[in-house]
Amino acid sequence: MKYNNTLLSFSLAIALNLSLVAAVVAPLSAHAESAAAAQEEVEKGPHRGRMLRDGNFALELAIFETGVPPEFRVWLTQDGKALDPKTVDLNVKLTRLGDVVDDINFKAQSDFLRGDMEIYEPHSFVVTITAKHQGKSYRWQYDNFEGRTSIEQAVADAMDIQTETAGPAALHQTIPAYGSLSLPAGAERHIAARFDGEITRLHVALGDKVSKGQTLFTIESNESLRSYQIKAPIDGVVTAQLANGGEQTSGRTLLTLTDSTHYLAKLAVYPGDFAKVKLGAPVTFQLEGHSHAYSGNIEFIEPKVRDDQARIAWVNVSNENGDLTAGSFVNAQIEIASFEVPLAVKRVGLQGFRDFTVVFAKVGEQYEVRMLELGREDSEWVEVLGGLLPGTEYVTENSFILKADVEKSGASHDH
């Protein structure tokens, strides 16, 4: 199927301006309709297979899969009468996308010929049949395509159809966890005078950044009438100023220093996941009001459970930009397993086709479904156990465009 220039322009305009790409992947209509019409006109035999005729010689080629993997079976007639299958030498070649050829030979069984290999999915190929009977040769060829479409590269680029090569991947399985940011123990220091007296000088103000050892107050002692200084015990910011010059200290807190260079993401882990979550486990998370992701590792798991039976896991979070605040909600993923698999595809490329989960393999400007047998998965990757060869170029982003095109083409599953 090829897009003509008018349809290309119209499709691209709608896709770019209205973001309705699904509406513009109307299959390349003339080809699709003619293909569907051709399929409707195929003569079917008594076993629901395709009838192929040459003069008074005819055969019915059917895919049989009741109780067995899909295989070809062939019934033969001459002058409308059944032939002994032992008298016919038959071969079928299936040329698949990418010029892979399945070479199938046949043996007589009961009143039919039975193919010697499985017809694996997708059932999409050029079929070439050769037969010999009583010294005469016969040959037929036809297209039997399903789940296949063509899109010119310029159009694929405009629609942002992206591909990758199937191969090994590292999977990271995670569980969700939720919590909030808290300041670590010792991050807040409440400053008071050792000896009561009058504040003769306040050296800092609310919001000031101070360094460890910097002078905060000068106090004149009520008993000795001698002055002494209160110095900052940590680096931090003045987050509360509770006294001013000329006031008495009176044993109270004078100001609060807060070290906000680090926070703790405290995450709730519930009983079903206790055994999965380990110290040192990698964690990725989002913070309420922040677009970028954060990461860290579990550094401590509280030994007690809360009233809701959750245990709290701690993750240290650096506040390099100074924009974090205590109490912010945390949405996290805790890694519980990590492993390498020999073959995987990205989840974003998966689509449903008939009863299968598929990706679209790309060969040149043609795309075709590959039915997958899937294994383990994580948030990005899915392990492939069968149905796809390593090194296959497959569609990741915007694979739904291809699915829409294939569905509108009306190509049926020929059995």
Side-chain angles (χ1 to χ4, degrees):
M1 293 185 287
K2 296 290 183 181
Y3 282 84
N4 59 46
N5 290 336
T6 301
L7 182 55
L8 293 182
S9 300
F10 177 70
S11 299
L12 185 55
I14 295 180
L16 296 177
N17 296 330
L18 300 180
S19 302
L20 297 175
V21 176
V24 291
V25 286
L28 321 165
S29 307
H31 188 119
E33 291 175 2
S34 63
Q39 288 187 341
E40 291 174 1
E41 295 169 1
V42 170
E43 179 187 358
K44 296 290 186 177
H47 302 92
R48 301 182 64 187
R50 178 184 289 253
M51 290 299 305
L52 300 167
R53 301 181 183 275
D54 187 343
N56 61 354
F57 183 81
L59 62 82
E60 180 185 355
L61 177 67
I63 295 179
F64 183 85
E65 51 188 327
T66 303
V68 296
E71 63 184 27
F72 274 137
R73 293 189 178 184
V74 177
W75 290 263
L76 306 127
T77 59
Q78 189 167 39
D79 294 324
K81 297 180 180 179
L83 283 175
D84 182 350
K86 296 186 181 68
T87 65
V88 179
D89 183 14
L90 184 69
N91 176 266
V92 173
K93 288 182 172 58
L94 306 178
T95 304
R96 296 177 179 270
L97 186 63
D99 295 327
V100 175
V101 179
D102 300 337
D103 194 350
I104 305 171
N105 293 305
F106 291 78
K107 290 185 177 180
Q109 179 175 318
S110 183
D111 62 341
F112 58 88
L113 288 171
R114 181 180 183 182
D116 63 359
M117 71 176 290
E118 179 182 345
I119 314 303
Y120 59 89
E121 298 280 4
H123 296 171
S124 181
F125 26 65
V126 177
V127 184
T128 304
I129 305 110
T130 55
K132 293 182 180 179
H133 176 62
Q134 294 182 345
K136 187 173 181 180
S137 296
Y138 303 89
R139 186 180 186 278
W140 298 267
Q141 187 174 82
Y142 61 91
D143 295 342
N144 187 87
F145 298 148
E146 68 161 349
R148 183 185 294 193
T149 188
S150 296
I151 299 180
E152 293 178 1
Q153 189 59 49
V155 178
D157 292 342
M159 291 180 171
D160 198 26
I161 295 174
Q162 300 179 22
T163 64
E164 292 195 18
T165 300
L171 272 64
H172 304 274
Q173 291 183 329
T174 62
I175 59 169
Y178 305 92
S180 62
L181 288 185
S182 299
L183 286 167
E188 283 190 336
R189 297 293 183 92
H190 303 292
I191 309 301
R194 183 176 181 183
F195 305 105
D196 280 345
E198 181 182 337
I199 302 170
T200 59
R201 184 176 178 185
L202 175 61
H203 296 266
V204 295
L206 185 66
D208 283 356
K209 291 184 179 180
V210 301
S211 301
K212 182 178 180 180
Q214 182 176 334
T215 301
L216 303 176
F217 294 95
T218 299
I219 309 293
E220 183 182 277
S221 170
N222 288 339
E223 294 185 3
S224 67
L225 301 180
R226 297 180 64 180
S227 294
Y228 67 92
Q229 294 178 330
I230 300 175
K231 297 184 181 295
I234 60 170
D235 294 341
V237 175
V238 179
T239 53
Q241 178 188 329
L242 305 173
N244 295 291
E247 295 181 0
Q248 287 289 318
T249 58
S250 304
R252 60 190 169 117
T253 297
L254 305 178
L255 62 75
T256 301
L257 285 182
T258 302
D259 177 5
S260 59
T261 56
H262 289 82
Y263 282 86
L264 292 176
K266 294 188 175 182
L267 307 174
V269 178
Y270 290 91
D273 294 322
F274 284 173
K276 302 174 187 176
V277 176
K278 308 294 183 183
L279 286 175
V283 181
T284 57
F285 53 93
Q286 297 285 144
L287 296 175
E288 190 76 20
H290 296 262
S291 59
H292 61 283
Y294 293 80
S295 63
N297 298 83
I298 292 179
E299 298 183 356
F300 178 69
I301 301 175
E302 295 182 8
K304 294 182 179 180
V305 297
R306 297 189 314 196
D307 291 343
D308 63 356
Q309 298 303 298
R311 293 182 69 181
I312 305 303
W314 294 9
V315 180
N316 196 310
V317 186
S318 174
N319 188 22
E320 294 179 0
N321 298 326
D323 56 354
L324 301 184
T325 54
S328 296
F329 289 119
V330 179
N331 182 349
Q333 293 289 328
I334 302 174
E335 184 173 304
I336 58 172
S338 177
F339 44 87
E340 297 280 339
V341 297
L343 184 61
V345 295
K346 287 192 170 180
R347 292 168 59 96
V348 70
L350 299 178
Q351 293 293 338
F353 180 79
R354 300 203 333 259
D355 297 328
F356 299 95
T357 300
V358 305
V359 292
F360 283 88
K362 181 179 187 292
V363 178
E365 294 185 344
Q366 291 188 298
Y367 301 81
E368 188 177 79
V369 294
R370 293 291 179 266
M371 286 73 167
L372 304 180
E373 180 185 352
L374 301 176
R376 296 166 292 180
E377 61 185 68
D378 67 8
S379 60
E380 182 180 12
W381 298 94
V382 181
E383 180 183 18
V384 176
L385 304 177
L388 189 71
L389 294 175
T392 300
E393 185 179 4
Y394 72 100
V395 176
T396 53
E397 299 293 334
N398 295 317
S399 59
F400 72 92
I401 296 174
L402 302 171
K403 178 181 178 180
D405 200 23
V406 165
E407 288 178 343
K408 291 178 182 178
S409 74
S412 64
H413 187 55
D414 187 15
H415 278 214

